[in-house]
């Protein structure tokens, strides 16, 4: 079965992998995202690292193999300041709220485009490449991207409520204190 | 030495400035219920105006009585502070509010939300008819006792007393 399709590495790659597909074909259900990812990887490979003969690999290999080979590529890529690579962060950042620059430069964290993509896709990318890339998948990275608008208004309301509760408690204590004062006066006098 | 209830409750601060009591002053509802600072009265007890007795010794000294609610409509949100319930001027010493000039008639407290303070403040007038017209008191809401006293040269209060009152069936709970 596999031998018959072994000539066409693109097809075999797409049938082998679970959710990733060949670079040019779009068979997987996540193709729109995947195409973007593919473009991103292509941009990384083509534009940033010219000594590696990655062109052949990026077009022929499937996605996770590209990531495997690009383990060093990934780390090299991450080692570079992201300011020099406007296109890949731009493609990913367009879909998400701003992430602080410190996380972008952190080698131990997943590159920012992993935060905003489909989580299934995230797993597929990272799973075969964890040993080579030494990149720790940071699923909790989503927490950082929580939009602040809703939280702030909820927080303000909560704060208001808390302040009003405290004022009410202070008034209650004052009333209680006064009754104690009168009791004291009554007892003494 | 326990602190003055007028300070503890915030009456001094919210409504008046610190003062020294120098005139005897008594407020009694229904001939039975004596108002002392911080006592809790029900709206049914304070429907009718109380009997106000003023000390002193000289009938030629006149006093002004102000009754306000600084917690209107809700102590947590007193945006109608202060609500004027009663204003009587030209009260001769040693007499009562009946002998004075009722500028603003007594309105029964009807707190709907929270526990309100109802404060009686007594000022000594410089002379008789020092407060001429019921000037510009077109609304009981957002009355300012301090400004009123300053405007009519009443100076600092000579006496004050307050009581707490909430809705007959309970404070009405919290409403956002």
């Amino acid at each position: 079965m596999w031998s018959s399709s072994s000539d066409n590495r693109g097809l075999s790659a797409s049938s082998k992998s679970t959710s990733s597909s060949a670079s040019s074909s779009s068979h997987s259900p996540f193709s729109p995202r995947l195409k973007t990812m593919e473009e991103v990887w292509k941009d990384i490979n083509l534009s940033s690292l010219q000594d590696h003969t990655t062109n052949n690999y990026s077009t022929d290999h499937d996605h996770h193999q590209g990531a495997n080979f690009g383990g060093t590529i990934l780390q090299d890529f991450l080692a570079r300041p992201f300011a020099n690579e406007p296109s890949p962060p731009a493609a990913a950042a367009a879909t998400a709220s701003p992430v602080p620059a410190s996380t972008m430069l952190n080698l131990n964290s997943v590159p920012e485009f992993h935060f905003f993509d489909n989580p299934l896709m995230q797993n597929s990318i990272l799973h075969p490449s964890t040993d080579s890339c030494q990149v720790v998948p940071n699923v909790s990275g989503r927490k950082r991207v929580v939009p602040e608008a809703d939280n702030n208004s909820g927080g303000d309301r909560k704060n208001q409520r808390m302040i009003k509760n405290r004022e009410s408690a202070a008034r209650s204590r004052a009333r209680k204190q006064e009754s104690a004062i009168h009791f004291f006066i009554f007892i003494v006098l | 030495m326990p602190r003055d209830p007028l300070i503890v409750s915030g009456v001094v601060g919210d409504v008046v400035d610190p003062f020294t009591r120098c005139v005897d002053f008594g407020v009694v509802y229904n001939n039975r219920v004596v108002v002392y600072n911080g006592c809790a009265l029900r709206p049914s007890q304070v429907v009718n105006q109380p009997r106000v007795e003023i000390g002193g010794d000289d009938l030629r000294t006149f006093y002004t009585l102000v009754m306000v609610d600084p917690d209107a409509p809700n102590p947590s949100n007193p945006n109608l502070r202060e609500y004027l319930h009663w204003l009587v001027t030209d009260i001769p010493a040693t007499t009562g509010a009946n002998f004075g000039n009722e500028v603003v008639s007594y309105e029964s407290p009807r707190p709907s939300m929270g526990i309100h303070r109802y404060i009686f403040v007594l000022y000594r007038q410089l002379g008789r008819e020092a407060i001429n017209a019921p000037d510009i008191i077109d609304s009981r809401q957002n009355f300012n006792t301090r400004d009123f006293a300053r405007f009519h040269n009443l100076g600092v209060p000579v006496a004050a007393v307050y009581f707490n009152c909430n809705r007959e069936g309970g404070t009405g709970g919290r409403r956002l």
Side-chain angles (χ1 to χ4, degrees), chain B residues 88-100:
Chain B
V88 185
T89 65
D90 298 333
I91 307 173
T94 72
T95 66
N98 306 339
F99 294 80

Side-chain angles (χ1 to χ4, degrees), chain A residues 1-171:
Chain A
M1 294 186 294
W2 295 116
S3 59
S4 62
S5 59
S6 62
D7 296 338
N8 192 341
R9 305 183 71 176
L11 274 181
S12 69
S14 63
S15 59
K16 249 194 286 180
S17 61
T18 54
S19 61
S20 57
S21 65
S23 57
S24 55
S25 63
S26 55
H27 298 296
S28 75
F30 307 111
S31 52
R33 280 279 184 216
L34 197 53
K35 269 190 179 172
T36 311
M37 276 309 304
E38 283 301 318
E39 288 166 5
V40 166
W41 285 112
K42 275 189 203 167
D43 288 338
I44 296 168
N45 296 328
L46 290 174
S47 63
S48 63
L49 302 157
Q50 286 131 10
D51 5 348
H52 296 277
T53 56
T54 58
N55 295 345
N56 299 331
Y57 286 103
S58 63
T59 52
D60 295 341
H61 279 207
D62 65 337
H63 193 71
H64 72 272
Q65 284 192 3
N68 254 338
F69 174 82
T72 50
I73 299 177
L74 175 63
Q75 282 183 333
D76 289 342
F77 171 67
L78 287 178
R80 301 162 63 90
F82 273 42
N84 294 339
E85 298 292 332
S87 51
T95 61
S97 53
V99 176
S102 57
T103 62
M104 293 168 66
L105 296 175
N106 187 1
L107 282 177
N108 292 327
S109 68
V110 174
E112 73 276 16
F113 31 80
H114 286 295
F115 289 162
F116 318 124
D117 283 346
N118 193 311
L120 291 178
M121 164 136 176
Q122 180 183 8
N123 292 335
S124 71
I125 292 173
L126 297 173
H127 180 65
S129 64
T130 47
D131 50 348
S132 60
C133 287
Q134 298 172 2
V135 175
V136 178
N138 189 4
V139 186
S140 66
R142 279 189 178 267
K143 283 183 191 169
R144 294 190 215 164
V145 197
V146 172
E148 290 194 353
D150 297 335
N151 272 355
N152 265 353
S153 66
D156 283 345
R157 257 184 259 126
K158 279 186 189 171
N159 274 338
Q160 297 268 351
R161 194 60 236 157
M162 184 180 76
I163 292 169
K164 291 205 169 179
N165 274 340
R166 289 189 177 164
E167 288 172 4
S168 176
R171 286 194 295 271

